[in-house]
Amino acid sequence: MSDILELFSGLILGAIAMYWVFSFFRKKKKRELTEHQSDILLDKIKSVCKLITVEGDFAEIYRYENTKERFLSLVSSKKKALIVINAKAHIGFDLKKVQLHADNDKKKIILTNFPQPEILSISPELQFYDIQNGLFNAFTPADLTKLNAEARQHIQEKIPESGLMDTANKEALEAILLIEKIVETIGWKLDYTALEMSNRKKQFLDV
């Protein structure tokens, strides 16, 4: 009878030990899978990179003048042109600057910081009118490169007063909702309750 009890006890202890070992490796595998999911998810969000939310069109008239002097400044030569700048500006968010981390136990991605809107690109097109070359100061191909850079800078200085940044700020919630949708593709949740919005908070509530 004692042999049977010992055998029965041994089987129970063995079953408990096997269950414990199985549970340990199952939990370890599940945690590794969860951590792997979170790493993939964070990389997926970062791969979106720059998100354009606002597009603006600009039409500006730019007067260009350049004067060169020769012979000890006794003779000067001026070239000038009237330039119409048609430019397209894209405003949005660089998602690489988003700060977030994963809570693997709760399967949550926690968003703790969201960047301010910025100018992502400016594409100017120049049309030249009333071109006047100087005697020894004519327009060259190098001038086109220089004028493109000046046109881009000119448009960049106009953007703050255009209201595009304010509009992009109001569209910030769309960017966050995009991140939320990406997170939900693998059954996780996005938590942005801790996000410090300060000036944006009311804007989000009004959207």
Side-chain angles (χ1 to χ4, degrees):
M1 185 68 176
S2 61
D3 292 339
I4 294 174
L5 288 173
E6 288 178 4
L7 179 62
F8 186 68
S9 299
L11 288 172
I12 292 174
L13 290 172
I16 292 172
M18 287 294 293
Y19 178 77
W20 183 83
V21 171
F22 175 75
S23 298
F24 174 78
F25 282 106
R26 185 176 64 180
K27 287 180 180 178
K28 184 179 179 183
K29 185 176 181 181
K30 185 178 180 181
R31 182 163 187 82
E32 287 176 351
L33 178 61
T34 301
E35 290 176 355
H36 183 62
Q37 282 182 325
S38 66
D39 289 340
I40 290 176
L41 192 55
L42 295 176
D43 288 340
K44 189 175 181 181
I45 291 170
K46 290 177 181 177
S47 70
V48 177
C49 292
K50 296 182 179 180
L51 179 66
I52 295 170
T53 57
V54 178
E55 182 178 276
D57 292 309
F58 291 83
E60 296 284 333
I61 296 176
Y62 185 64
R63 297 181 184 277
Y64 175 81
E65 289 188 4
N66 176 269
T67 303
K68 285 185 178 180
E69 296 180 341
R70 294 282 180 90
F71 310 112
L72 301 175
S73 301
L74 296 175
V75 178
S76 65
S77 180
K78 179 187 292 184
K79 62 183 175 185
K80 59 182 181 178
L82 186 65
I83 306 169
V84 174
I85 306 171
N86 291 298
K88 195 175 290 292
H90 291 133
I91 313 297
F93 304 91
D94 186 349
L95 297 187
K96 285 187 177 181
K97 296 179 180 179
V98 168
Q99 292 180 11
L100 35 76
H101 65 276
D103 184 336
N104 295 319
D105 294 328
K106 296 181 180 178
K107 285 195 171 184
K108 288 197 305 185
I109 297 295
I110 301 170
L111 181 61
T112 56
N113 184 65
F114 197 78
Q116 293 290 325
E118 59 186 83
I119 302 169
L120 299 180
S121 68
I122 298 175
S123 304
E125 291 184 1
L126 308 184
Q127 294 179 326
F128 290 81
Y129 297 93
D130 192 24
I131 299 174
Q132 297 180 30
N133 290 308
L135 181 62
F136 52 83
N137 187 14
F139 281 95
T140 66
D143 289 325
L144 182 61
T145 301
K146 181 183 177 183
L147 286 170
N148 264 289
E150 290 185 12
R152 188 176 283 105
Q153 181 63 34
H154 180 71
I155 296 300
Q156 187 170 330
E157 291 170 358
K158 292 285 183 179
I159 287 176
E161 61 191 58
S162 70
L164 288 177
M165 288 298 189
D166 292 334
T167 303
N169 228 346
K170 293 176 182 177
E171 300 294 331
L173 182 59
E174 282 192 15
I176 293 176
L177 292 178
L178 173 64
I179 296 175
E180 187 172 38
K181 287 178 181 178
I182 294 173
V183 170
E184 289 174 351
T185 58
I186 64 167
W188 285 50
K189 290 185 178 180
L190 179 68
D191 180 359
Y192 51 92
T193 56
L195 188 63
E196 293 293 333
M197 295 186 191
S198 58
N199 294 333
R200 289 196 203 140
K201 195 169 184 180
K202 184 178 182 301
Q203 293 173 345
F204 284 165
L205 294 174
D206 290 342
V207 173

